[in-house]
C-alpha cells in the first residue's frame, strides 16, 4: 500500500495535510512522493494501519503488529558516519562502527529514489521533557504503525499550531522495504541503521522492529547531551511521596521497566533520561516494555496497558477468532508493548524529578553468585558503572539463543553510548558527589546456582529488597563484606529469606560457589583492562580481588 500506484483512497487521505508542517520534506531532498500523512493522531493511524494490513485490533483495543524477521535490535548493522566535525568525540569500535560519508550519500540517494511515488507518514515530536534541553525531532516512516509508535514513544506537541511551526533538529527515516546492497554499501547485511551527525539524520532500512527508531534517537541524545553537561542515561526513574527520586540503570531484561513501575512511587520514565543541574528528566513520552509472561499481580500497571486502545503490541500471539492475546506464548521472541506514559496511573505528568537520592545499578547475574543487593562506595560505583556487567536475555537482540549470555556493556548501555565510557562516568561521578546520591548494586538474576540449575530471584523478593533500600530500612541492619568485590552486603532484609540475601548459603557446595564467583571476577578484570588507561587508580582498585583461600574459610560471610 505504501506504493499506491492505483491511487486507492485511504481512511485518512482527506486529512493527510491538515497538520502539515511549515518545514517541508524538500529540505531532506524527498520529492515526487505520492501522499504524505502529516502528524496523524492515534485514531487515524489505527485506521490506516488496519486498512494497509499492517496490523490487527485485539480484544480491548491494542494494535497487534508483527515485525517479521527482526524481533529485536540488529546491533551489528548500526554505523556512524565518520566525518571531521564529530569524529574526535566518538568512541569508535564495536558499537560505533565508522561509515564512509560517500557511501552514506550513495545509499541515501537510492533511498530518495525508492520513496518516490510512495506514501509516507511524518510525526513531528520532541525528545527531552526539560524545556532547557528539549529537541524537536521528525520521524518519517513507511509504515503507519511506525508513525503511531513514534507518537507513543516521543513527546507530542501540545497544539496543532506548535506542530506546524516546529523545525526538526534531527530526523529519522525508517523504511523497512528498502534494503542495502552489501557489496556496494559495505554494510554487514541488507539491514542498516546509519547515523549521520553532520547532516542530522538517521536512516533505517530492512527492519520493522520499532525499537530501532527509539534507540536511534536515544543514541543521538547520548551524543548531544553530555556536550552540554547533561548526564545521558540508559535508566528508568521514579520518585517517592517525599520527592526522593531514584534511578535504575540496566540493560533490557534486567528490570528497569518493571521495578520503576511501582504503584507507591511516581513514574518519571522507564528507559531513557538526562540528569542536568535542574534535576532528572525523561527523554521520552512513552514506555516500551517486555510483556512475555507478564503477571497481572506482580506487574499490574504494565499488564493493564496490554488491554488499552492506543497500545501497540509487537509480536504477541493473537487468536484470530476471539482476538484474545496470549502473553505466555513465547514462540516469537521479544514480545513488547509500546504505550504512552499517561497510561500508567501514577506517572509524573511533567516527566521530571529532582536530583536522585538513590542510584540503582541493575545486573542480571546468570552465574548465580552475586548478592541480591550491595551498597557501593563512589569508587565501586564507578567500577561497576564502567563495567556494566549483566546477562543479555534472549529476544533483546537478533542472534541470541535461549540461554542468557554474560556480557559487559559499558554504562549499562554500551550499544547506545557514543562517547568513551569514561566521559559518562566522569559526569555521573560529579553529579553524585555534588547532589549526595548513594548507590546500590541490585541483582535480578539467579540464586542457588547458575542459569539452568538455580532459580531466578523472585520479583516479590526483589521488590522487597529494593523498597527497603529506597525507604532507608537497610541503613541500620548488619552488613558483611563481599569476599570477592569487597562491597557491603546486608545480612537481612524484612520479608526476604536469608538464603536469598546470602547467595553462598543457597549453594550445596561453598567451594564450588567460590570457584564460580572467582571465575566471574576474572572476567571483570579482563574486561576492565581496556578502560584502565585514563581511569583513576582508586577506581581500578575498587574491582574484584581473587583470593583462592577464601573458599576454604566457610564462615567468611559471618565475619
Amino acid at each position: 500500500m505504501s506504493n499506491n500506484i492505483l491511487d486507492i483512497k485511504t481512511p485518512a487521505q482527506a486529512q493527510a495535510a491538515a497538520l502539515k508542517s511549515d518545514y517541508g520534506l524538500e529540505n531532506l531532498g524527498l520529492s515526487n512522493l505520492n501522499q504524505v500523512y502529516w502528524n496523524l493522531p492515534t485514531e487515524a493511524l489505527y485506521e490506516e494501519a488496519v486498512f494497509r494490513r499492517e496490523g490487527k485490533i485485539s480484544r480491548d483495543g491494542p494494535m497487534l503488529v508483527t515485525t517479521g524477521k527482526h524481533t529485536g535490535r540488529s546491533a551489528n548493522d548500526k554505523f556512524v558516519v565518520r566525518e571531521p566535525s564529530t569524529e574526535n568525540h566518538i568512541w569508535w569500535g564495536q558499537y560505533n562502527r565508522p561509515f564512509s560519508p560517500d557511501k552514506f550519500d550513495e545509499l541515501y540517494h537510492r533511498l530518495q529514489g525508492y520513496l518516490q511515488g510512495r506514501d509516507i507518514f511524518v510525526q513531528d515530536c520532541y525528545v527531552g521533557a526539560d524545556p532547557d534541553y528539549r529537541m524537536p525531532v521528525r520521524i518519517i516512516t513507511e509504515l503507519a504503525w511506525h508513525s503511531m509508535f513514534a507518537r507513543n514513544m516521543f513527546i507530542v506537541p501540545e497544539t496543532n499550531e506548535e506542530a506546524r511551526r516546529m523545525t526538526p533538529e534531527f530526523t529519522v527515516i525508517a523504511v523497512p522495504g528498502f534494503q542495502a546492497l552489501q557489496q556496494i554499501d559495505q554494510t554487514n547485511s541488507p539491514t542498516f541503521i546509519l547515523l549521520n551527525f553532520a547532516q542530522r539524520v538517521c536512516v533505517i532500512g530492512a527492519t520493522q522492529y520499532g525499537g530501532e527508531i527509539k534507540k536511534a534517537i536515544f543514541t543521538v541524545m547520548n551524543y548531544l547531551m553530555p556536550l552540554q553537561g547533561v548526564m545521558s542515561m540508559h535508566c528508568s526513574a521514579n520518585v517517592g511521596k517525599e520527592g526522593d527520586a531514584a534511578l535504575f540503570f540496566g540493560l533490557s531484561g534486567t528490570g528497569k521497566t518493571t521495578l520503576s513501575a511501582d504503584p507507591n512511587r511516581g513514574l518519571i520514565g522507564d528507559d531513557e533520561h538526562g540528569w542536568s543541574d535542574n534535576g532528572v528528566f525523561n527523554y521520552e513520552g512513552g514506555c516500551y516494555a517486555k510483556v512475555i509472561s507478564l503477571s497481572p499481580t506482580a506487574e499490574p500497571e504494565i499488564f493493564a496497558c496490554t488491554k488499552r486502545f492506543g497500545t501497540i503490541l509487537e509480536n504477541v500471539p493473537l487468536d484470530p477468532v476471539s482476538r484474545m492475546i496470549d502473553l505466555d506464548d513465547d514462540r516469537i521472541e521479544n514480545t513488547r508493548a509500546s504505550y504512552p506514559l499517561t497510561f500508567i496511573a501514577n506517572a509524573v505528568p511533567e516527566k521530571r524529578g529532582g536530583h536522585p537520592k538513590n542510584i540503582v545499578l541493575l545486573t542480571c547475574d546468570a552465574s548465580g553468585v552475586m548478592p541480591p543487593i550491595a551498597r557501593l562506595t563512589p569508587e565501586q560505583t564507578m567500577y561497576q558503572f564502567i563495567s556494566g556487567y549483566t546477562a543479555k536475555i534472549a529476544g533483546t537482540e537478533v542472534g541470541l539463543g535461549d540461554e542468557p549470555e554474560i556480557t559487559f556493556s559499558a554504562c549499562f548501555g554500551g550499544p547506545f553510548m557514543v562517547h568513551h565510557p569514561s566521559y559518562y562516568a566522569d559526569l555521573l561521578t560529579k553529579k553524585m558527589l555534588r547532589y549526595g546520591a548513594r548507590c546500590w548494586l541490585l541483582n535480578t538474576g539467579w540464586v542457588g546456582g547458575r542459569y539452568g540449575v538455580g532459580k531466578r530471584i523472585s520479583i516479590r523478593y526483589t521488590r522487597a529488597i529494593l523498597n527497603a533500600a529506597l525507604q532507608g530500612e537497610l541503613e541500620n541492619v548488619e552488613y558483611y563484606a563481599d569476599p570477592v568485590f569487597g562491597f557491603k552486603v546486608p545480612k537481612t532484609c524484612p520479608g526476604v529469606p536469608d538464603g536469598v540475601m546470602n547467595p553462598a548459603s543457597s549453594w550445596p557446595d561453598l567451594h564450588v560457589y567460590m570457584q564460580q564467583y572467582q571465575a566471574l571476577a576474572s572476567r571483570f578484570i579482563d574486561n576492565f583492562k581496556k578502560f584502565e588507561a585514563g581511569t583513576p587508580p582508586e577506581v581500578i582498585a575498587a574491582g574484584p580481588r581473587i583470593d583462592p583461600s577464601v573458599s576454604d574459610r566457610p564462615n567468611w560471610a559471618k565475619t
Side-chain angles (χ1 to χ4, degrees), residues 132-175:
D132 290 343
Y133 300 100
R134 176 173 290 175
M135 185 174 73
V137 295
R138 172 166 289 173
I139 312 298
I140 300 172
T141 63
E142 185 178 18
L143 299 177
W145 82 259
H146 274 175
S147 194
M148 180 179 160
F149 179 87
R151 197 173 179 86
N152 275 359
M153 298 312 304
F154 304 117
I155 300 172
V156 179
E158 293 183 0
T159 66
N160 294 339
E161 182 64 17
E162 184 181 357
R164 185 179 68 81
R165 294 187 176 185
M166 281 179 62
T167 300
E169 295 180 16
F170 211 97
T171 300
V172 174
I173 306 174
V175 187

Side-chain angles (χ1 to χ4, degrees), residues 389-411:
Y389 165 66
T390 192
K392 292 180 182 179
I393 305 299
T396 54
E397 288 185 14
V398 173
L400 289 179
D402 293 333
E403 185 167 336
E405 177 184 317
I406 290 178
T407 188
F408 293 90
S409 185
C411 311

Side-chain angles (χ1 to χ4, degrees), residues 311-358:
T311 292
I312 300 170
L313 296 176
E314 283 186 348
N315 302 316
V316 174
L318 174 75
D319 185 304
V321 177
S322 68
R323 295 301 174 106
M324 295 288 291
I325 61 173
D326 185 355
L327 297 178
D328 294 320
D329 190 328
D330 61 357
R331 284 177 294 176
I332 304 178
E333 62 181 2
N334 200 26
T335 54
R336 285 187 176 267
S338 162
Y339 49 89
L341 194 62
T342 53
F343 282 12
I344 301 295
N346 62 323
V348 178
E350 300 80 13
K351 305 176 186 65
R352 300 171 63 185
H355 299 290
K357 182 178 179 181
N358 290 281

Side-chain angles (χ1 to χ4, degrees), residues 434-450:
R434 182 173 183 179
Y435 299 108
R438 59 189 172 190
C439 188
W440 307 86
L441 181 69
L442 186 70
N443 176 20
T444 63
W446 277 257
V447 67
R450 64 183 296 276

Side-chain angles (χ1 to χ4, degrees), residues 146-212:
H146 274 175
S147 194
M148 180 179 160
F149 179 87
R151 197 173 179 86
N152 275 359
M153 298 312 304
F154 304 117
I155 300 172
V156 179
E158 293 183 0
T159 66
N160 294 339
E161 182 64 17
E162 184 181 357
R164 185 179 68 81
R165 294 187 176 185
M166 281 179 62
T167 300
E169 295 180 16
F170 211 97
T171 300
V172 174
I173 306 174
V175 187
F178 181 78
Q179 298 184 353
L181 304 174
Q182 290 170 255
Q183 293 183 338
I184 295 176
D185 298 318
Q186 298 179 1
T187 56
N188 290 330
S189 76
T191 301
F192 59 89
I193 303 96
L194 306 180
L195 281 157
N196 191 323
F197 288 106
Q199 297 184 22
R200 295 273 178 150
V201 66
C202 173
V203 290
I204 302 171
T207 172
Q208 295 185 47
Y209 179 60
E212 296 289 10

